[in-house]
Amino acid sequence: MSAQNNVAVITIDGPSGAGKGTISRIVAKKLGYHYLDSGALYRLLGLASKRHNVKLTSVSCLATLAEHMDVSFKTSGQGDLTIHLEGENVTRELRTEETGALASQVAGFPQVRAALLKRQRSFAQPPGLVADGRDMGTAIFPDAPVKLYLTASAEERGARRYKELLAKGENVSLPALVEQVRSRDERDINREASPLRAAEDAIQIDTSAMSIQEVTDEVLNLLSLKGFVPHP
Ligand code: DC
């Protein structure tokens, strides 16, 4: 199987809110594979730059920070993932809209993307990896044997985020969230460095009208046709 360091890598790319994170975690668990949340690395960099007062225009400082920031991903016995920056659990703070916007800005610099390349590839360890992001299939793991690209309409993705935030008790506006989804997409699609796009050999799935269970079933089906069997 040709892949990074002979480790089987499944890439799952797409815009935010398309269901990549949820599906990637489920698939990784089913196969007994490692999981790379590459968006979290950009979010961590956004947060680290804020904490260290690094300006979003100081590209070389951002790249140095990207290369050296002290981050760790820890999975509990129950399978819950927590993310740490300089020893502090920042899992919640990473998910805020503010951190997402910072991440989207730092992700636009080619020097930052280059500085995070090795770190991302180092996640490819036996028995395999599910890599979730924007450029997993195009730039980080171009030889991955299976590439998926999940999409959904901006309205649906905004509505999913709305439900998620309402459930957390946050006071949010649906039209504002849809607008945020659109402007994040625009930045991710139109940037010069590794813009968001499907790899030519990616299988595309529009999840707008699908439940998580339906997407999971379809992805697992596809994977089993390609010889990936669930972990016993
Ligand atoms: O998937 P996410 O929402 O956690 O990603 C946060 C931001 O990071 C998103 O706006 C785009 C950027 N990103 C990226 O440029 N490349 C990746 N592989 C993952 C995320």
Side-chain angles (χ1 to χ4, degrees), residues 13-17 20 37-40 42-43 94-95 99-101 103-105 107-108 113 120 132-136 140 184 187-188 191 193-194:
D13 288 307
S16 59
K20 288 172 295 140
D37 175 0
S38 62
Y42 291 95
R43 287 174 183 265
L94 282 189
R95 301 317 314 169
T99 312
S104 174
Q105 289 175 63
R113 306 195 72 84
Q120 293 177 84
D132 152 6
R134 305 292 192 287
D135 60 345
M136 299 294 100
I140 310 297
R184 175 104 51 97
R187 255 205 309 268
D188 293 346
R191 69 173 177 229
S194 302

Side-chain angles (χ1 to χ4, degrees), residues 109-124:
F109 298 117
Q111 296 91 325
V112 164
R113 306 195 72 84
L116 288 176
L117 187 85
K118 250 198 347 216
R119 213 188 266 260
Q120 293 177 84
R121 288 192 175 151
S122 71
F123 279 77

